[in-house]
Amino acid sequence: MKKYTNRGLKLTRSGFGDGLLEAAIENGRIVALTADLRDSLHMDAFADRFPERFVECGIAESNMIGVAAGLAIAGKIPFAGSFAEFISGRVYDQIRQEIALGQANVKIAASHAGLSAGEDGATHQAMEDVALMRALPGMVVLNPCDYTQTKAATLAAARYDGPVYLRFGRPVVPDFTPEDQEFEIGKALVLEEGRDVTLLATGHLVWEALEACRILEEKGVEAEVIDVATIKPLDKQTILSSLRKTGAAVVAEEHNLSGGLGELIAGLVVRTNPVPMEFVNGGDAFGQSGTAEELMSWAGLDAGHIVRAAEKVMSRRK
């Protein structure tokens, strides 16, 4: 155990900004657009380096998506960035009609996702965005867990031909995934191997799942931890292989119950290899104002709740 250690707290949105700049140096077709959130999404380095490839659209996400779709038709690879709540819910019709329907090569950069948007409150907290995006045919949905993985996912999104929804958060979180990683779209990663229960997590909850794994080990439980950084397309093979071994699963995510990763995996499991499951998520509720730490604790999105869910699901296993 303890294969993964915290190298320090870093911003996932900083990983996006650094990945975007590196991708743009690699490929001159990449352009960036934002809705008056250049600094918040750490797109400033890109804008300073490539001002002729940067478009400030103002607080007008619907228009920005239309501009991005047009740029894609013209052969560019646009990254359109805003807060997750505004670039999913506010512009869903434009994303469906102008990007998903024609499979335009547009990358939607969704920052400040989940409860960790913090003090801005429920109006700014995207807890339904995964449900919206994974419902769109052909839309890739990525939810990396730390700075390093977000940077790698941004580079992978830039190289992928088709629409991508790239989701990341606001606060600093532990940076622990390999610095030399190559992000593979559609691949879940087994971070810790175990035989007693499978902990499936995405985004900020991956580190909490690793912490839960350590706590469970002290109790004599061997938990397998899987980082589901690609929500769509789902890595069915890796997930089912683990569940055939452990026979019990916990799914943890910073998203509402409805339409999230938990329901997606439950649908897979019930069709193939039914096992008892428990879920750690935001339930059927909006968020509220508070610090990221306060809100994650309020919603039960932490290692302690993952441990209790694991103990509960193991007691249900036949």
Side-chain angles (χ1 to χ4, degrees), residues 190-270:
V190 179
L191 303 184
E192 297 286 357
E193 295 188 359
R195 62 181 181 179
D196 297 321
V197 62
T198 300
L199 307 181
L200 298 139
T202 187
H204 295 158
L205 272 293
V206 175
W207 178 256
E208 297 300 323
L210 286 170
E211 291 289 279
C213 180
R214 296 183 181 104
I215 296 169
L216 288 166
E217 184 184 38
E218 295 173 356
K219 299 184 176 189
V221 175
E222 294 182 15
E224 183 146 292
V225 179
I226 299 181
D227 171 13
V228 189
T230 303
I231 294 175
K232 184 183 179 183
L234 190 65
D235 186 351
K236 300 176 183 178
Q237 182 177 350
T238 296
I239 293 169
L240 292 175
S241 176
S242 178
L243 295 185
R244 280 192 289 268
K245 176 173 57 173
T246 66
V250 174
V251 184
E253 59 186 319
E254 190 182 350
H255 189 272
N256 281 352
L257 168 65
S258 299
L261 178 64
E263 286 196 344
L264 179 61
I265 293 177
L268 168 67
V269 168
V270 77

Side-chain angles (χ1 to χ4, degrees), residues 109-140:
S111 182
H112 291 56
L115 287 174
S116 56
E119 292 87 344
D120 291 337
T123 58
H124 286 57
Q125 294 162 357
M127 292 292 281
E128 317 86 28
D129 58 318
V130 170
L132 290 170
M133 291 300 119
R134 76 174 182 87
L136 292 170
M139 179 67 73
V140 168

Side-chain angles (χ1 to χ4, degrees), residues 22-288:
E22 186 173 322
I25 294 171
E26 178 182 296
N27 190 335
R29 294 166 57 208
I30 291 175
V31 296
L33 308 86
T34 186
D36 199 30
L37 290 167
R38 160 182 158 161
D39 293 340
S40 289
L41 270 73
H42 287 240
M43 300 169 83
D44 43 346
F46 177 99
D48 292 341
R49 178 76 176 267
F50 302 110
E52 74 284 358
R53 292 157 60 182
F54 179 75
V55 182
E56 175 55 75
C57 296
I59 306 174
E61 282 86 356
S62 298
N63 181 60
M64 179 174 67
I65 290 298
V67 174
L71 287 167
I73 292 171
K76 303 298 184 181
I77 304 173
F79 277 78
S82 183
F83 288 177
E85 176 55 35
F86 304 143
I87 205 166
S88 60
R90 179 179 289 176
V91 297
Y92 192 72
D93 182 58
Q94 283 74 23
I95 292 174
R96 182 187 187 276
Q97 305 294 71
E98 299 171 21
I99 295 178
L101 198 59
Q103 292 296 285
N105 192 22
V106 175
K107 320 304 171 185
I108 302 169
S111 182
H112 291 56
L115 287 174
S116 56
E119 292 87 344
D120 291 337
T123 58
H124 286 57
Q125 294 162 357
M127 292 292 281
E128 317 86 28
D129 58 318
V130 170
L132 290 170
M133 291 300 119
R134 76 174 182 87
L136 292 170
M139 179 67 73
V140 168
V141 180
L142 307 180
N143 190 29
C145 62
D146 66 358
Y147 163 87
T148 301
Q149 192 174 73
T150 303
K151 181 180 178 181
T154 303
L155 289 165
R159 296 166 186 151
Y160 176 83
D161 186 14
V164 175
Y165 183 76
L166 176 61
R167 181 185 204 253
F168 46 95
R170 175 189 183 186
V172 291
V173 293
D175 185 46
F176 61 94
T177 61
E179 295 180 286
D180 60 349
Q181 67 184 284
E182 288 288 334
F183 189 95
E184 182 179 348
I185 292 176
K187 182 64 177 175
L189 302 175
V190 179
L191 303 184
E192 297 286 357
E193 295 188 359
R195 62 181 181 179
D196 297 321
V197 62
T198 300
L199 307 181
L200 298 139
T202 187
H204 295 158
L205 272 293
V206 175
W207 178 256
E208 297 300 323
L210 286 170
E211 291 289 279
C213 180
R214 296 183 181 104
I215 296 169
L216 288 166
E217 184 184 38
E218 295 173 356
K219 299 184 176 189
V221 175
E222 294 182 15
E224 183 146 292
V225 179
I226 299 181
D227 171 13
V228 189
T230 303
I231 294 175
K232 184 183 179 183
L234 190 65
D235 186 351
K236 300 176 183 178
Q237 182 177 350
T238 296
I239 293 169
L240 292 175
S241 176
S242 178
L243 295 185
R244 280 192 289 268
K245 176 173 57 173
T246 66
V250 174
V251 184
E253 59 186 319
E254 190 182 350
H255 189 272
N256 281 352
L257 168 65
S258 299
L261 178 64
E263 286 196 344
L264 179 61
I265 293 177
L268 168 67
V269 168
V270 77
R271 291 192 305 269
T272 53
N273 180 45
V275 299
M277 298 181 67
E278 290 291 330
F279 306 95
V280 175
N281 53 50
D284 184 27
F286 289 108
Q288 56 180 300

